[in-house]
C-alpha cells in the first residue's frame, strides 16, 4: 500500500477504505464519492460501518476482539465485491492498525484513506453528544477517548477535513482513483 493511485485498467475492482475517528467525515466523504462515481457509471457499493454493524455484525460488542471481527467481516465482503469488478467504499473507524493492515493487505487494489480532524472538531460535529458522554466517563470503550485509535502512519491518502471541503476531498479521491 505505498502507491497513492489505483490502477483502474484491471478487471478487478478496488477498495477505498476510509478510516478515522467518529465525526471525522468518513461517511460524508464516502457518500459524496459514491454519488460522483455512480454519476460516472462506475459500479460502486458503499459499506458503512454503522450499517454493517447493525446487520452483518449484530451482536458484536466493542471489545478489541469484537471490533477486529467486525473489521474482518467488512473486509471479507469488500473483497468479494471487488473481485467482481466493483469499486467498494468502506467507511469504518477500524481503530487498530494491525487489523486494518491485515485486512487491507488481503484486498485487491486497496487504498487506505485517513480521514482526519482534531478531537475538538469531531466533538463539535457530534450531534448525538457521544463524545461529551465518553469524556464524562458515561460511555466505556469509546474510540479516541477511552479506547485507542491507532492512526495510519503511511496512509495512501490523508484528508484533513477541518482544512478542506467535502468537494475538495472528493477531488483528491478521484485523482487517487484515476477518475479525475
Amino acid at each position: 500500500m505505498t502507491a497513492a493511485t489505483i490502477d483502474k485498467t484491471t478487471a478487478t475492482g478496488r477498495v477505498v477504505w476510509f478510516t478515522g475517528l467518529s465525526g471525522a467525515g468518513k461517511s460524508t466523504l464516502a457518500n459524496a464519492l459514491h454519488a460522483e462515481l455512480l454519476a460516472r457509471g462506475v459500479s460502486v457499493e458503499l459499506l458503512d460501518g454503522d450499517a454493517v454493524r447493525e446487520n452483518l455484525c449484530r451482536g458484536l460488542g466493542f471489545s478489541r476482539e469484537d471490533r477486529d471481527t467486525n473489521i474482518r467481516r467488512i473486509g471479507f465482503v469488500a473483497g468479494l465485491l471487488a473481485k467482481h469488478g466493483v469499486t467498494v467504499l468502506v467507511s469504518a473507524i477500524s481503530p487498530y492498525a494491525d487489523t486494518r493492515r491485515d485486512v487491507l493487505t488481503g484486498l485487491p487494489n486497496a487504498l487506505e484513506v485517513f480521514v482526519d480532524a482534531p478531537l475538538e472538531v469531531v466533538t463539535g460535529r457530534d450531534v448525538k453528544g457521544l463524545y461529551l458522554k465518553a469524556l464524562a466517563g458515561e460511555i466505556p470503550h469509546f474510540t479516541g477517548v477511552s479506547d485507542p485509535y491507532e492512526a495510519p502512519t503511511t496512509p495512501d491518502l490523508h484528508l484533513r477535513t477541518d482544512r478542506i471541503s467535502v468537494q475538495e476531498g472528493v477531488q483528491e479521491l478521484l485523482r487517487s482513483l484515476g477518475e479525475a
Side-chain angles (χ1 to χ4, degrees):
M1 288 189 341
T2 57
T5 61
I6 289 179
D7 178 9
K8 69 175 194 163
T9 60
T10 65
T12 303
R14 53 205 171 172
V15 177
V16 181
W17 195 284
F18 296 87
T19 181
L21 290 174
S22 179
K26 297 177 304 299
S27 293
T28 299
L29 284 169
N31 282 310
L33 180 60
H34 183 262
E36 181 64 31
L37 292 174
L38 277 177
R40 294 171 180 226
V42 174
S43 178
V44 61
E45 188 61 52
L46 177 62
L47 298 176
D48 183 77
D50 289 340
V52 171
R53 186 172 270 282
E54 184 177 312
N55 295 288
L56 182 62
C57 298
R58 182 176 292 196
L60 290 178
F62 291 92
S63 68
R64 178 163 185 142
E65 182 180 346
D66 284 354
R67 288 174 191 249
D68 286 348
T69 298
N70 180 53
I71 295 308
R72 290 183 194 290
R73 287 180 184 176
I74 293 171
F76 177 76
V77 172
L80 288 176
L81 290 167
K83 285 179 188 175
H84 294 282
V86 177
T87 295
V88 184
L89 310 178
V90 174
S91 172
I93 294 171
S94 38
Y96 305 119
D98 57 343
T99 304
R100 202 171 47 240
R101 185 175 38 256
D102 289 348
V103 169
L104 288 169
T105 299
L107 294 173
N109 291 326
L111 183 77
E112 182 181 45
V113 180
F114 179 29
V115 182
D116 188 13
L119 187 59
E120 59 271 10
V121 172
V122 297
T123 302
R125 292 176 179 168
D126 179 21
V127 295
K128 296 178 185 176
L130 298 177
Y131 276 103
L132 294 177
K133 290 179 182 177
L135 289 165
E138 297 173 25
I139 301 176
H141 307 294
F142 193 82
T143 304
V145 176
S146 53
D147 210 53
Y149 174 75
E150 299 168 356
T153 55
T154 56
D156 297 303
L157 188 59
H158 185 172
L159 298 176
R160 286 287 309 260
T161 59
D162 59 321
R163 298 180 182 167
I164 62 170
S165 69
V166 172
Q167 192 54 39
E168 288 169 325
V170 168
Q171 290 306 311
E172 284 293 318
L173 289 158
L174 289 170
R175 276 191 285 281
S176 291
L177 292 171
E179 295 282 346

